[in-house]
Amino acid sequence: MTTTLPTSARPLSPRRRWAALGVLAGAVLLLAVDGTVLYLAVPSLTRELAPTATEILWIGDVYSLALAGLLVTAGNLADRFGRKKVLLIGTAAFGLASALAAFSPTASVLIVARLLLGVAGATIMPSTLSLIRTLFADPRERTRAIAIWSAGSGGGIALGPLVGGMLLEHYWWGSVFLINVPIVVAFLIAGAWLLPESRDPAPGRFDLLSAGLSLAAIVLLVYAVKHAVSTGFDAPMGVAAGLGLVSGVLFVRRQRRAAAPLIDVTLFRNGAFSGAVLANFIAVFALMGLLFFFSQYLQLVRGFSPLQAGFAEMPATLASIAVVAAVGVVAGRLGRGRAIAAGLAVAALGLALVAVAERAPQYWWLGLTLVPVGLGVGLALTLTVDSVLSAVPRDKAGSASAISETAYELGAALGIAILGSVVNLVYRAFLPAGPVPGEVRDSLAGAASVLDPGSELARAAREAFTGAMQVTSLAAAAVTAAAALIAWRTIPSIPSGKD
């Protein structure tokens, strides 16, 4: 992908540039909110739609899975037809899919609706970072712009539960999707007015086979991982993993030989670029995998209402937003590599403390542990994106953006799939021995729907889920610490804004 802008779009005034950034950050905020707003609604929709534990996981991660699988292809199409045009069309489709999700009569229909939301979201994402790279040529301005963009993404992740909690206090679970419709209308109006058009004047031939191979590799490998963690190693898992690996190898080989590849795989020869992408992936993997079940923990174990649970997650939100004010100072003093490593190390410490605080009788201990998680992840995500874009020439910014965004969404999908499956496995292992109703063994949400909250089995189920959350929090802390080491070793510590 390239980032060539038409002549009419180049001389944007500073006010117009920052206003355009506001629209782009708003688009990312909408997608991030939609990725997490569902979390608080799981207990409510479980009562009405009666999904299985596997269906709950698919409802959670099919959105990010579709985004990750289609970002590269959608970005290539946006290069051809105009990023602004594709972004606005995708936003309209996002609104329609939101309406379908809101009124889904069954769990299967909701999964399909979430899939369509991911497809629509994939047409929105690719233009954001490449436009930022083009609109903000000055490195210092770009770092601030990316910090605001990241605040939209990180803030959306954390604001989703709060928005969901406020809606669920007064309306049915479908309201967490229906709220997207008026937001989409406002975005369409602002985007049509403020955003410049941008397209590749010579995009080359569209490679349909490469698009199919990239989608097959991501979907099949994620399915194989989910199946292995939840069911075990068997023939379907082996077939999916094998086909996914073959598709991935063929995709990479084809990109190396193609005259107009969907992504420039040679970018990975740059150690700083590869390290930033991998650190971004692992940070999102740990955060999203934990958040998906954290809202359920607050409601089903601690007894919070949806609104209370949303407010209970606010420390992470406020901390991630506060990063915008500090990122320039921290990166300027430490350099990108050390600042990213420090952010990830702080997040890892916070995740480990979350595991300890999940059994604390008072919520405040748990709330305090969310602050380092929000600070660390917010700092790391901002600077990994900045590192990705700064590690490549401007004419490679489109390809770099597609890879970065794919890593982000793939990290979210795999985080929910793997860490979510770990929660389910450990929860079942910690349940009392002997006969247990199928709904109880399936999930804590299922247990809450059939058991008296004061019964011995209900208390045992809550204890089992808390233990599962502690194990998963420690696992998330371990992978985040590994990401900190990767960032320290691979990303140069050049002060941000000096490239």
Side-chain angles (χ1 to χ4, degrees), residues 2 5 29 32 96 105 121 144 154 163 168 174 186 203-204 232 332 347 393 402 449 471:
T2 64
L5 286 170
L29 177 69
L96 294 174
R144 291 195 294 271
V163 172
L168 292 169
S449 67
V471 171

Side-chain angles (χ1 to χ4, degrees), residues 316-365:
T317 306
L318 297 176
S320 65
I321 293 174
V323 167
V324 174
V327 64
V329 175
V330 175
R333 292 186 177 181
L334 297 181
R336 285 197 192 95
R338 286 192 292 266
I340 291 170
L344 291 170
V346 168
L349 175 61
L351 290 167
L353 293 175
V354 166
V356 176
E358 281 171 334
R359 289 196 182 275
Q362 299 295 325
Y363 158 76
W364 297 109
W365 292 107

Side-chain angles (χ1 to χ4, degrees), residues 64-400:
S64 292
L65 182 60
L67 266 174
L70 293 172
L71 274 171
V72 172
T73 300
N76 194 274
L77 293 175
D79 281 347
R80 296 168 179 278
F81 300 109
R83 298 185 183 100
K84 175 181 178 179
K85 181 186 299 182
V86 171
L87 184 150
L88 295 179
I89 292 172
T91 301
F94 195 88
L96 294 174
S98 296
L100 174 62
F103 298 104
S104 297
T106 66
S108 298
V109 174
L110 181 56
I111 291 172
V112 171
R114 291 278 289 169
L115 173 64
L116 294 176
L117 280 168
V119 173
T123 65
I124 297 173
M125 284 291 289
S127 62
T128 56
L129 280 177
S130 56
L131 281 174
I132 288 174
R133 181 67 172 88
T134 302
L135 291 172
F136 297 93
D138 179 77
R140 293 184 181 275
E141 271 199 343
R142 187 175 67 246
T143 297
R144 291 195 294 271
I146 292 174
I148 294 171
W149 180 91
S150 296
S153 179
I157 289 173
L159 282 174
L162 179 60
V163 172
M166 295 176 67
L167 291 171
L168 292 169
E169 284 288 307
H170 304 286
Y171 306 104
W172 93 114
W173 63 265
S175 62
V176 301
F177 296 110
L178 199 59
I179 190 64
N180 290 343
V181 176
I183 297 174
V184 162
V185 172
F187 178 83
L188 288 173
I189 295 172
W193 178 38
L194 291 171
L195 293 177
E197 185 55 282
S198 168
R199 62 169 53 88
D200 184 352
R205 184 176 63 87
F206 179 71
D207 191 347
L208 185 61
L209 179 58
S210 290
L213 288 172
S214 67
L215 179 61
I218 292 173
V219 172
L220 289 171
L221 288 174
V222 172
Y223 171 81
V225 170
K226 284 172 57 69
H227 191 82
V229 174
S230 60
T231 306
F233 294 89
D234 54 18
M237 175 269 169
V239 171
L243 291 176
L245 288 172
V246 170
S247 298
V249 170
L250 292 176
F251 173 77
V252 172
R253 292 182 62 183
R254 190 171 179 84
Q255 300 318 292
R256 288 175 174 172
R257 299 173 180 175
L262 290 184
I263 62 173
D264 185 357
V265 296
T266 62
L267 292 175
F268 285 98
R269 296 173 183 170
N270 184 321
F273 176 87
S274 300
V277 169
L278 186 56
N280 181 291
F281 169 84
I282 297 177
V284 174
F285 173 94
L287 180 66
M288 295 296 285
L290 179 68
L291 282 181
F292 183 69
F293 280 90
F294 192 68
S295 296
Q296 296 178 56
Y297 160 81
L298 291 172
Q299 292 180 80
L300 300 175
V301 176
R302 290 198 172 255
F304 288 8
S305 70
L307 183 58
Q308 288 173 327
F311 276 110
E313 296 182 22
M314 281 296 288
T317 306
L318 297 176
S320 65
I321 293 174
V323 167
V324 174
V327 64
V329 175
V330 175
R333 292 186 177 181
L334 297 181
R336 285 197 192 95
R338 286 192 292 266
I340 291 170
L344 291 170
V346 168
L349 175 61
L351 290 167
L353 293 175
V354 166
V356 176
E358 281 171 334
R359 289 196 182 275
Q362 299 295 325
Y363 158 76
W364 297 109
W365 292 107
L366 184 59
L368 288 173
T369 65
L370 295 177
V371 173
V373 175
L375 283 173
V377 171
L379 178 64
L381 290 183
T382 296
L383 292 177
T384 53
V385 172
D386 195 14
S387 294
V388 165
L389 295 185
S390 299
V392 300
R394 186 182 301 185
D395 61 358
K396 297 290 186 181
S399 291

